[in-house]
């Protein structure tokens, strides 16, 4: 059984950075996908980053490529580094995971289909 808990959101100015953390209880070194999605008010949840744990293969939404980066920490933690933040990045950010990973979850658009979700952490970027 898998569970995820996010942390690290906050309020920053344009151009600043944040690091979000996702603790994955039940993290597996292969065969698992862990991703991040965000949801702006009145909009659908969209995937922004995903990693397939076998080989730590990542994929990112075009809107965040070159600014956001996933990395592996210790103790079953996956990070999402958010650099050069813009007001349009303001959203609730969710970590998600699916233990039954495979090619189907290697693209960022698969994140909303994952079966395990955290409670979310708010990121607010002011101009």
């Amino acid at each position: 059984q898998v569970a995820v808990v996010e942390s690290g959101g906050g309020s920053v100015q344009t151009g600043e950075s944040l690091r979000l953390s996702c603790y994955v209880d039940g993290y597996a070194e292969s065969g698992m996908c862990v991703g991040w999605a965000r949801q702006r008010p009145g909009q659908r949840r969209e995937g922004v980053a995903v990693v397939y744990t076998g080989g730590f293969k990542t994929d990112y939404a075009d809107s965040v490529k070159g600014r956001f980066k996933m990395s592996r920490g210790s103790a079953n933690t996956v990070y999402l580094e958010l650099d050069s933040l813009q007001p349009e990045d303001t959203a609730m950010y969710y970590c998600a995971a699916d233990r039954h990973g495979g090619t189907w979850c290697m693209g960022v658009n698969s994140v909303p289909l994952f079966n395990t979700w955290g409670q979310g952490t708010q990121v607010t970027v002011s101009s």
Side-chain angles (χ1 to χ4, degrees):
Q1 191 168 352
V2 177
V4 298
V5 179
E6 315 95 331
S7 60
S11 296
V12 296
Q13 300 290 316
T14 297
E16 294 184 340
S17 300
L18 281 172
R19 187 175 74 169
L20 306 183
S21 301
C22 179
Y23 177 79
V24 184
D25 186 6
Y27 184 93
E29 294 293 342
S30 65
M32 180 177 212
C33 281
V34 180
W36 289 90
R38 66 186 180 188
Q39 189 167 20
R40 304 183 183 95
Q43 298 190 18
R44 294 188 306 174
R45 199 171 290 188
E46 61 168 347
V48 295
V50 67
V51 61
Y52 178 71
T53 57
F56 212 79
K57 300 180 178 68
T58 56
D59 188 40
Y60 300 92
D62 288 343
S63 59
V64 306
K65 274 180 184 173
R67 301 190 299 120
F68 291 10
K69 182 179 179 181
M70 291 187 75
S71 61
R72 174 77 189 280
S74 61
N76 295 354
T77 300
V78 177
Y79 297 112
L80 182 66
E81 304 275 355
L82 291 67
D83 294 326
S84 302
L85 282 162
Q86 303 297 315
E88 53 266 34
D89 295 317
T90 295
M92 184 70 79
Y93 284 73
Y94 297 89
C95 182
D98 200 300
R99 181 60 184 89
H100 303 289
T103 54
W104 73 272
C105 66
M106 292 184 183
V108 68
N109 290 334
S110 69
V111 177
L113 302 176
F114 289 5
N115 58 17
T116 302
W117 290 82
Q119 78 285 358
T121 186
Q122 179 68 36
V123 171
T124 301
V125 186
S126 303
S127 58

